[in-house]
Amino acid sequence: MNKLNVNFLGINFDNPILTSSGCFGFGLEYKDYFNPNELGGIVLKGLTLEPRTGNIGTRIAETPSGILNCVGLENPGIDVLEKEIIPNLKKQGINTKIIVNINGSTVEQYVEIAKRVNEIKEIDMVELNISCPNVKDGGMAFGANPEVAGKTTREVRKVLNKPLIVKLSPNVTNIVEIAKIVEENGADAISMINTLLGMRIDINKGTPILGNTFGGLSGPAVRPVAVRMVYQVAQNVNIPIVGMGGINSWEDAVEFIMAGATMVSIGTGIFPNPLLPLEVKEGLNNYCIKNNLKNLQDIKGIAFKK
Amino acid sequence: MFLEDCVVLENNKISDSYYLLKLKGEKSISSAKPGQFYMLQCKNESTLLRRPISLHYINKEKQIIEFYYEVKGKGTNEFKNIKPGENINLQGPLGTGFNTDIENKNIVIIGGGMGMAPMKFLTEALSPKNNVTFICGGRNKESMNILDNFNLENIKTIITTDDGSLGIKGNVTIPLLETLKNKNIYKIYTCGPQIMMKHIMNIAKKNNILCEVSLEERMGCGVGACVGCSILTKEGMKKVCKDGPVFDSKIIIND
């Protein structure tokens, strides 16, 4: 019996393992290393209505146990998703769940892209990205302001005919407040955390290393922050959580589930170890067997229930 | 593309901060082409990302894979301390590589500094069926030590050094212009410092010669998933890891 399967927003997932937006391209980049259908689902690279070239200059810098990035939502736009990317995923036999990450500079743009996504039947769910730290207009500005976060969620929820996950930024004073507001405004689930705003300086040049000065920090360095935030939010909302931030092993995934996450998402960890999703899956299954769990979800939130 | 633990056979200092790493490989060497690269994993877990290292040479018969690398930061500092007998995990081969499918042509290959790395495999791939002129540029005599590891039979090799301690004093464009005067050159292949490639691309354009350049960029994933290494080209955004690292110079914005 499958101990990892999970019902998430009314859809049956084979396992709770997703790959995070921006770390798994458009689903096929890692197919030489493992079959993407082994995943519970794939969250595609962040999309906008129109194509975007992203930020210029250096986009990536390593830090201890983490990386900073300022890609800035480079993407081919929703037309290419609909006409090329999704048909190609299907042609390549991808039948795992597909979650599309949507972005905009105005509430109207978020609504417009949500309407477009409605028409693509192969997309199972939507992740509303109100937390990208690397774009000047939109992005994190939406997720850091409770009122705007609520409004964006509400307006998208009104038009969207698929389950809606709202991705939260950790760059706020009170994450619980934002989580409650997006719940009140119709979010079906929350994914957290997006990257932490950071920077590095080139000490030889005396200038910021990243082309966009600041970037989003991801990787194991942010994991304790992410676990803490999931733990706080899980106790204060009634909608499920996709936990992510520096998952590098099955043990890390267990931490997120014990903190209250229903699903877990692997991002940066796949870069050094392309086989990480499979290792996490196997490790979680073995963990269930060893601890006589009928299903992994039996340990969800036990860190605050005990 | 493969993931493979490879045993280190040799890891020797060639000059300054330049090292030559030889590994025993199996599946990851079978399809490799000149100009491709591998992502080498660091053992220190706080050094998160793999390091993209250009393929120096592959000996398919002996199943030996060679990397000529420069010790620059944390990751490559770790690589230099790896001892024979130890393992290192490779991911690759990755990227496009040079187009070597040409015959009976006059070719110029130019490597500058660390850009000499892909040229051993490339010169050997092109020289049997073409007339190859190989121009090597470096800071000084020591920077040419790597040439001892090349097989340069039937290849006209010209050396330039900044300090004149070996070969022509000056940069690679001096012998390049000289060669263009004397021969009808079909194509230039190059890898090296940005400024050097910029001049070479200009010369190629002026003389209406095909040119392939190998670029370098900070990379996250190496497979086109993270878009951390994208550059703006005349044909839009291109990923250095997947669409490159070798590009036709025609699409490179070079002003």
Side-chain angles (χ1 to χ4, degrees), chain A:
Chain A
M1 214 185 92
N2 181 356
K3 292 176 182 299
L4 299 183
N5 79 308
V6 51
N7 185 303
F8 176 56
L9 305 181
I11 295 175
N12 189 56
F13 282 69
D14 174 72
N15 62 73
I17 301 163
L18 309 178
T19 47
S20 306
S21 183
C23 299
F24 204 66
F26 285 105
L28 295 172
E29 284 78 357
Y30 280 97
K31 71 173 172 26
D32 289 356
Y33 305 98
F34 71 93
N35 184 343
N37 291 331
E38 295 274 344
L39 296 164
I42 299 169
V43 186
L44 302 181
K45 165 111 192 81
L47 274 160
T48 48
L49 277 172
E50 301 296 327
R52 275 181 65 100
T53 54
N55 291 321
I56 52 161
T58 299
R59 289 177 166 190
I60 200 158
E62 197 178 60
T63 65
S65 295
I67 58 171
L68 288 165
N69 91 82
C70 61
V71 167
L73 286 175
E74 177 185 333
N75 80 92
I78 190 83
D79 283 346
V80 172
L81 179 85
E82 183 173 14
K83 294 192 180 86
E84 292 172 28
I85 294 169
I86 297 287
N88 192 37
L89 281 174
K90 292 297 143 182
K91 209 172 88 189
Q92 299 275 341
I94 303 302
N95 55 28
T96 187
K97 304 294 176 283
I98 302 292
I99 301 170
V100 66
N101 177 289
I102 62 169
N103 298 267
S105 307
T106 61
V107 176
E108 290 71 31
Q109 283 182 5
Y110 277 107
V111 167
E112 210 49 46
I113 194 169
K115 284 183 187 164
R116 292 290 309 275
V117 170
N118 280 342
E119 294 158 23
I120 308 173
K121 62 178 192 310
E122 293 85 355
I123 293 173
D124 296 283
M125 295 183 181
V126 167
E127 182 176 64
L128 181 70
N129 189 358
I130 53 167
S131 45
C132 177
N134 297 323
V135 291
K136 285 195 175 64
D137 39 357
M140 201 169 77
F142 282 76
N145 179 325
E147 201 180 307
V148 182
K151 185 182 177 198
T152 313
T153 306
R154 187 168 68 242
E155 297 303 317
V156 169
R157 181 64 285 174
K158 271 188 209 161
V159 299
L160 185 69
N161 64 17
K162 298 174 193 286
L164 176 65
I165 308 165
V166 178
K167 189 167 188 177
L168 300 188
S169 169
N171 305 301
V172 295
T173 312
N174 187 345
I175 186 101
V176 173
E177 183 192 7
I178 304 264
K180 281 180 167 171
I181 283 169
V182 300
E183 180 184 31
E184 282 162 18
N185 282 282
D188 300 305
I190 285 166
S191 58
M192 57 190 289
I193 56 175
N194 206 319
T195 53
L196 279 150
L197 200 60
M199 83 178 285
R200 280 194 62 196
I201 292 169
D202 182 329
I203 62 160
N204 295 312
K205 294 181 188 157
T207 55
I209 290 179
L210 292 174
N212 203 41
T213 308
F214 303 145
L217 179 65
S218 63
V222 311
R223 193 193 313 133
V225 177
V227 171
R228 182 265 293 178
M229 287 185 160
V230 169
Y231 179 87
Q232 286 180 309
V233 169
Q235 296 173 71
N236 287 286
V237 299
N238 294 306
I239 51 177
I241 295 170
V242 181
M244 75 189 89
I247 292 178
N248 241 11
S249 66
W250 67 266
E251 290 96 331
D252 302 338
V254 169
E255 273 200 59
F256 276 95
I257 292 167
M258 286 182 166
T262 300
M263 309 291 282
V264 290
S265 193
I266 294 173
T268 305
I270 202 164
F271 301 159
N273 180 8
L275 299 178
L276 182 61
L278 297 189
E279 291 174 15
V280 171
K281 188 174 166 180
E282 194 190 342
L284 290 176
N285 195 48
N286 290 339
Y287 174 83
C288 290
I289 293 167
K290 201 177 153 198
N291 292 284
N292 290 317
L293 301 179
K294 278 204 185 97
N295 189 288
L296 182 67
Q297 296 296 319
D298 296 349
I299 60 161
K300 184 167 81 182
I302 62 165
F304 57 82
K305 284 175 186 158
K306 268 190 179 169

Side-chain angles (χ1 to χ4, degrees), chain B residues 120-168:
Chain B
K120 181 181 180 188
F121 203 15
L122 183 65
T123 48
E124 272 198 35
L126 287 171
S127 62
K129 290 181 176 171
N130 297 279
N131 183 324
V132 173
T133 302
F134 180 32
I135 303 174
C136 319
R139 281 195 298 269
N140 50 31
K141 191 177 168 210
E142 283 69 42
S143 67
M144 292 297 143
N145 289 352
I146 187 63
L147 286 176
D148 296 343
N149 192 49
F150 279 63
N151 311 303
L152 295 170
E153 269 176 64
N154 304 320
I155 298 173
K156 185 179 180 194
T157 304
I158 305 168
I159 292 167
T160 71
T161 52
D162 296 342
D163 67 358
S165 54
L166 194 68
I168 299 165

Side-chain angles (χ1 to χ4, degrees), chain B residues 177-215:
Chain B
L177 290 169
E178 197 60 32
T179 306
L180 297 187
K181 258 190 239 162
N182 302 327
K183 271 187 197 161
N184 191 11
I185 299 298
Y186 174 74
K187 193 167 187 176
I188 299 171
Y189 296 82
T190 184
C191 181
Q194 248 178 358
I195 183 79
M196 180 194 99
M197 291 201 288
K198 183 184 156 107
H199 287 300
I200 291 168
M201 283 191 273
N202 280 335
I203 292 169
K205 193 179 171 188
K206 248 184 225 158
N207 291 275
N208 214 8
I209 298 169
L210 298 173
C211 182
E212 285 186 24
V213 293
S214 176
L215 304 185

